[in-house]
């Protein structure tokens, strides 16, 4: 019998690079560059969901989250991408 | 003719819609709580505006997964009129009954003002009482109103002449 464990999985939803990110642009121009951090050339904002997933192993935890994100439209694939990382076990 | 008006947690202007349908247009209509599971008695459905589920995750996405939206999809497949106003439009997009996506306004600001829409055609269910090329005053109020479609969907809706209807229902 396999033992189920809890894995922390982060889901990062961000606009595709072809889609403008006005919030990132404002942070870059009106906060970072204006205050001297001219070395920073781009900012992209994203939304992060941190999930606790019960699974047998890391791969299974990730598979569950990938399926969930696609089935429940956690991101709109027309404008967004979704990065899924298992961050702890 | 009987029209259903679907109410989600966080919907608004549903009572305005009832007022216009029953008192102005004298059409039979009924408010439908989103947990209702059968829409067979209705000839058309309207999803009003508001902030269903607090716009959590994205405007309309949680409401789009309510069981009642399967009923709305069946109505659309039968050719019955489905109208989404404001958040209702976002719900129809998230339910994939309409193409595209709605994103945060480029200004990052909540936009609340009057705007003018041009009636490009009156050969649709939604505009057949309007005079072609006339301007309609419409109130808009949204934070996620930047409508986006990819090139493939854009050419499809232009080819199918849906764009004219979409312009009418967008706000």
């Amino acid at each position: 019998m396999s033992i189920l464990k809890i894995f922390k999985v982060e889901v990062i939803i961000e606009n595709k690079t072809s889609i403008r990110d006005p919030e990132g642009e404002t942070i870059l121009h009106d906060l970072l560059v204006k205050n001297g951090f001219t070395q920073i050339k781009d900012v992209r904002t994203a939304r992060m969901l941190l999930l606790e997933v019960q699974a047998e192993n890391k791969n299974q935890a990730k598979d569950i989250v990938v399926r969930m994100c696609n089935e429940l439209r956690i991101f709109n694939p027309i404008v967004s991408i979704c990065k899924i990382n298992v961050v702890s076990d | 003719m009987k029209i259903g008006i679907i109410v989600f947690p966080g919907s608004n202007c549903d009572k305005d819609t009832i007022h216009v349908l029953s008192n102005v247009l004298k059409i039979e209509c009924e408010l439908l709580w989103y947990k209702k599971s059968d829409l067979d008695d209705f000839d058309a459905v309207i999803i009003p505006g508001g902030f269903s589920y607090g716009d959590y995750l994205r405007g309309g996405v949680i409401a789009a997964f309510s069981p009642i939206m399967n009923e709305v999809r069946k109505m659309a497949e039968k050719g019955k009129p489905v109208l989404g106003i404001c958040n209702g439009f976002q719900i129809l997009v998230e339910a994939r009954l309409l193409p595209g996506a709605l994103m945060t306004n480029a200004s990052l600001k909540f936009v609340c003002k009057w705007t003018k829409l041009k009636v490009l055609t009156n050969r649709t269910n939604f505009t057949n009482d309007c005079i072609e090329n006339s301007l309609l005053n419409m109130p808009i109020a949204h934070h996620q109103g930047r409508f986006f479609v990819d090139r493939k969907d854009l050419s499809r809706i232009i080819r199918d002449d849906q764009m004219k209807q979409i312009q009418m229902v967008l706000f």
Side-chain angles (χ1 to χ4, degrees):
Chain A
M1 194 181 78
S2 53
I3 298 158
L4 294 174
K5 291 200 299 182
I6 296 286
F7 295 87
K8 283 204 162 116
V9 182
E10 63 180 20
V11 176
I12 298 166
I13 305 149
E14 59 185 82
N15 288 352
K16 287 181 181 171
T17 49
S18 57
I19 306 276
R20 273 188 59 198
D21 176 15
E23 189 175 352
E25 290 167 19
T26 305
I27 294 168
L28 177 67
H29 298 303
D30 292 4
L31 183 65
L32 311 190
V33 172
K34 221 176 240 180
N35 290 288
F37 285 91
T38 51
Q39 308 92 331
I40 298 170
K41 299 300 180 192
D42 194 26
V43 177
R44 301 287 292 182
T45 59
R47 167 173 284 225
M48 204 259 282
L49 310 180
L50 184 59
L51 313 176
E52 291 190 1
V53 184
Q54 193 171 43
E56 285 177 18
N57 53 50
K58 265 187 174 185
N59 287 342
Q60 193 190 42
K62 187 169 179 175
D63 288 347
I64 292 167
V65 175
V66 168
R67 188 162 57 82
M68 182 277 290
C69 285
N70 288 326
E71 278 182 21
L72 300 184
R73 278 174 82 77
I74 290 298
F75 67 111
N76 185 330
I78 292 168
V79 289
S80 307
I81 55 165
C82 190
K83 293 173 184 163
I84 296 163
N85 307 309
V86 181
V87 290
S88 77
D89 53 85
Chain B
M1 176 84 167
K2 191 175 176 188
I3 300 181
I5 299 153
I6 300 176
V7 183
F8 289 98
S11 288
N12 65 25
C13 297
D14 42 334
K15 299 276 169 59
D16 305 46
T17 311
I18 280 274
H19 165 70
V20 171
L21 291 176
S22 29
N23 300 331
V24 181
L25 298 172
K26 312 286 183 199
I27 292 172
E28 192 185 351
C29 58
E30 196 179 304
L31 288 180
L32 306 170
W33 186 234
Y34 75 110
K35 288 186 173 168
K36 189 174 168 66
S37 56
D38 180 4
L39 297 179
D40 285 351
D41 292 346
F42 296 89
D43 303 296
V45 74
I46 297 178
I47 308 176
F51 300 86
S52 58
Y53 293 94
D55 276 354
Y56 292 169
L57 191 60
R58 249 186 351 268
V61 68
I62 299 181
F65 280 91
S66 302
I68 200 167
M69 289 308 296
N70 290 329
E71 296 299 304
V72 173
R73 184 172 286 107
K74 282 184 208 158
M75 287 182 76
E77 282 164 2
K78 285 181 194 160
K80 292 183 177 178
V82 175
L83 175 66
I85 304 168
C86 197
N87 186 234
F89 182 88
Q90 293 173 324
I91 294 168
L92 292 177
V93 167
E94 290 298 343
R96 283 177 277 187
L97 282 162
L98 292 173
L102 285 132
M103 308 176 65
T104 302
N105 295 339
S107 67
L108 299 176
K109 290 183 177 140
F110 188 90
V111 173
C112 181
K113 62 178 186 181
W114 286 84
T115 191
K116 284 188 177 9
L117 293 185
K118 193 172 186 181
V119 180
L120 294 179
T121 173
N122 57 11
R123 294 180 299 279
T124 77
N125 282 331
F126 300 110
T127 59
N128 56 18
D129 274 348
C130 301
I131 298 162
E132 241 169 15
N133 294 317
S134 62
L135 293 177
L136 303 178
N137 276 314
M138 293 275 172
I140 56 169
H142 57 70
H143 191 248
Q144 295 171 13
R146 183 161 51 124
F147 183 61
F148 180 94
V149 276
D150 59 24
R151 288 189 180 282
K152 196 179 85 204
D153 275 333
L154 185 63
S155 35
R156 186 172 60 82
I157 55 185
I158 290 170
R159 189 194 64 217
D160 296 348
D161 213 16
Q162 290 177 353
M163 185 58 112
K164 290 167 181 173
Q165 295 198 38
I166 281 178
Q167 282 188 327
M168 288 307 305
V169 297
L170 181 54
F171 301 114

